[in-house]
């Protein structure tokens, strides 16, 4: 033991040296650059509902919720020059979240809130992309942020816009303002419907529910009908009986009881 092989000595001191540099870099990042380990979020639930908060004309905060296979809010409109604080979580599996044309790249992880800040100096449409494989709908999972000075909230832009005072002082009121707060919508989410169908008119793997009631449908066998209550009930209970033409991925039959079926159909009728 009294004679240590010089190579061994080099390895031992090399390892100690590398560890010391590593610890010094962590200390430097924490104390000089203020980059610290993430804190615990004490109110995870408030990030599991999609929301857009306008702090002032050029400062927004958005709570993105990722689920198979959509980001909500899917569409966001902010004025040119806005800075947007992004908070992101997932309610099912891991998803990637990249805003094309920016350096925002966050992973959406269940029970974790990711965060990034971005300033949109130029007008345009910025696409959201899921870049983590998350199932059969992965390639269609996206959305966009429209940066323009023509925003008309009265015309239905920014559906998820919340008043910050509401958000902080009255979460119940905030949730009532949001389409996501409707118990029937929550039922759709819990049954997995929103993985393939939206309520805002966007096309996913399946047809959107928006305006479905009273609309004309054409099926793969060439038949047509106008959507009524009986059709809605049938297509939820027996999805493969009539498949709307142009849609190829079969919908699984869902375990659903009569009460839930009635509640969902009532909700779809008024969309
Ligand atoms: Cu979500 Cu891929």
């Amino acid at each position: 033991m009294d004679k240590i092989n010089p190579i061994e000595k080099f390895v031992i001191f090399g390892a100690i040296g590398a560890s010391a540099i590593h610890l010094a870099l962590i200390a430097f990042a924490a104390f000089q650059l203020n980059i610290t380990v993430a804190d615990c979020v004490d109110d995870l639930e408030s990030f599991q509902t999609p929301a857009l908060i306008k702090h002032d004309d050029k400062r927004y905060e958005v709570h993105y919720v990722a689920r198979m296979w959509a980001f909500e809010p899917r569409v966001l409109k902010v004025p040119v020059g806005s800075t947007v604080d992004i908070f992101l979580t997932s309610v099912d599996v891991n998803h990637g979240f990249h805003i094309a044309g920016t350096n925002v790249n966050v992973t959406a992880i269940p029970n974790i809130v990711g965060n990034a800040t971005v300033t949109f100096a130029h007008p345009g449409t910025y696409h959201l992309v899921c870049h983590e494989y998350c199932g059969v709908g992965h390639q269609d999972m996206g959305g966009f942020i429209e940066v323009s000075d023509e925003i008309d909230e009265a015309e239905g832009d920014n559906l998820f816009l919340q008043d910050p005072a509401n958000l902080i002082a009255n979460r119940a009121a905030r949730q009532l303002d949001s389409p996501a707060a409707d118990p029937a919508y929550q039922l759709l989410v819990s049954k997995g419907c929103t993985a393939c169908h939206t309520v805002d008119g966007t096309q996913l793997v399946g047809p959107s529910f928006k305006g479905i009631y009273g609309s004309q449908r054409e099926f793969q066998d060439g038949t047509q009908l106008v959507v009524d209550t009986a059709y809605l009930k049938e297509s939820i209970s027996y999805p493969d009986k009539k498949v709307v033409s142009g849609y190829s991925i079969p919908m699984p039959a869902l375990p659903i009881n009569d009460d839930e079926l009635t509640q969902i159909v009532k909700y779809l009728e008024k969309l």
Side-chain angles (χ1 to χ4, degrees):
M1 278 306 278
D2 55 348
K3 255 229 177 281
I4 300 176
N5 180 305
I7 295 174
E8 216 169 328
K9 216 186 229 173
F10 175 78
V11 169
I12 290 167
F13 284 106
I16 292 171
S19 301
I21 292 170
H22 186 196
L23 290 174
L25 285 175
I26 292 175
F28 177 72
F31 297 114
Q32 292 297 311
L33 305 179
N34 270 328
I35 301 170
T36 49
V37 176
D39 281 335
C40 279
V41 175
D42 52 11
D43 186 17
L44 179 68
E45 228 178 285
S46 72
F47 292 96
Q48 291 171 325
T49 307
L52 174 66
I53 302 122
K54 187 176 181 175
H55 290 293
D56 63 43
D57 284 348
K58 301 274 163 167
R59 187 89 196 191
Y60 288 80
E61 175 181 335
V62 53
H63 299 179
Y64 275 111
V65 175
R67 58 166 54 93
M68 292 185 278
W69 291 282
F71 294 113
E72 277 182 310
R74 181 189 316 281
V75 185
L76 205 67
K77 293 190 180 176
V78 295
V80 181
S82 303
T83 298
V84 183
D85 291 307
I86 291 164
F87 295 89
L88 168 75
T89 192
S90 167
V91 289
D92 42 43
V93 300
N94 287 6
H95 298 272
F97 178 91
H98 172 55
I99 306 177
T102 71
N103 58 7
V104 173
N105 191 343
V106 186
T107 304
I109 305 167
N111 299 321
I112 303 253
V113 179
N115 167 234
T117 298
V118 59
T119 299
F120 293 102
H122 306 288
T125 301
Y126 295 77
H127 287 264
L128 312 178
V129 198
C130 176
H131 55 73
E132 173 95 34
Y133 183 74
C134 55
V136 295
H138 160 73
Q139 71 279 4
D140 296 323
M141 181 165 173
F144 52 94
I145 299 177
E146 228 170 77
V147 179
S148 93
D149 284 322
E150 280 157 41
I151 299 173
D152 194 343
E153 266 132 23
E155 277 298 299
D157 286 351
N158 288 335
L159 275 182
F160 292 93
L161 189 68
Q162 310 291 340
D163 182 336
N166 267 359
L167 186 78
I168 296 155
N170 193 343
R171 262 185 68 200
R174 170 178 70 88
Q175 292 184 335
L176 280 178
D177 286 347
S178 165
D182 194 308
Y185 180 81
Q186 291 301 333
L187 188 55
L188 289 178
V189 172
S190 72
K191 293 287 170 190
C193 311
T194 50
C196 303
H197 304 276
T198 68
V199 297
D200 67 359
T202 315
Q203 293 301 315
L204 291 183
V205 175
S208 175
F209 290 142
K210 188 172 186 182
I212 189 172
Y213 192 71
S215 71
Q216 178 92 21
R217 296 268 139 161
E218 202 185 308
F219 303 101
Q220 280 176 359
D221 60 8
T223 58
Q224 295 190 354
L225 64 71
V226 172
V227 173
D228 57 8
T229 307
Y231 164 74
L232 288 175
K233 285 195 170 174
E234 184 195 73
S235 60
I236 295 169
S237 308
Y238 309 100
D240 49 357
K241 263 201 174 165
K242 295 190 180 74
V243 180
V244 178
S245 50
Y247 294 93
S248 52
I249 297 182
M251 172 176 147
L254 306 164
I256 187 165
N257 65 39
D258 282 350
D259 280 352
E260 292 167 337
L261 185 61
T262 308
Q263 197 188 343
I264 285 179
V265 168
K266 267 203 191 121
Y267 176 70
L268 297 184
E269 284 173 5
K270 60 182 175 120
L271 273 180

